[in-house]
Amino acid sequence: MKKYNYKSVLIARKKRTDPEDFAHRPCFISFFEENEPHLNPQGPKEVLEFDKKHKVIISGVDVHYLLPGNDIVINNLEELSVEEEDKIVHVRGKQIK
């Protein structure tokens, strides 16, 4: 489990390279130094990419689901940890509320 110290993250699904391969579900987590990362024109400071995942489990934080892009935003972070376990990505964090 690795810990990250950023202000916000954006969790999103990548497009499959092979539309026939339903087991191939890539996703990524982008880290930002400011809140509202989907409005940040400078882009992320760091990006983690995951391949062939079934789901992302998020705990300990409030999230915002952005309908237009099917993205998840987490703002006001104190810390965030990310851990891979088979086909699952665990995201755990603490927020300033």
Side-chain angles (χ1 to χ4, degrees):
M1 176 176 8
K2 186 169 179 188
K3 291 188 178 186
Y4 299 89
N5 292 309
Y6 290 98
K7 183 85 170 187
S8 67
V9 298
L10 179 82
I11 302 171
R13 177 180 59 187
K14 289 176 65 175
K15 292 185 180 184
R16 288 190 290 251
T17 53
D18 181 0
E20 301 299 320
D21 184 4
F22 292 104
H24 182 77
R25 295 180 180 94
C27 67
F28 62 91
I29 301 174
S30 299
F31 298 90
F32 295 82
E33 293 180 344
E34 300 294 329
N35 281 328
E36 305 301 340
H38 58 293
L39 303 175
N40 187 329
Q42 298 173 353
K45 296 296 179 183
E46 186 173 350
V47 177
L48 301 178
E49 294 191 22
F50 303 94
D51 197 28
K52 297 187 178 184
K53 297 303 172 192
H54 179 67
K55 63 180 158 181
V56 176
I57 297 175
I58 303 166
S59 58
V61 293
D62 294 331
V63 302
H64 300 274
Y65 175 64
L66 305 177
L67 293 172
N70 288 314
D71 301 334
I72 294 173
V73 170
I74 306 172
N75 288 315
N76 298 315
L77 288 169
E78 286 184 37
E79 70 176 39
L80 191 83
S81 64
V82 178
E83 183 178 16
E84 284 185 82
E85 182 183 317
D86 297 321
K87 295 185 180 195
I88 299 172
V89 177
H90 292 275
V91 176
R92 298 174 182 93
K94 293 181 184 176
Q95 284 174 308
I96 301 166
K97 295 190 180 191

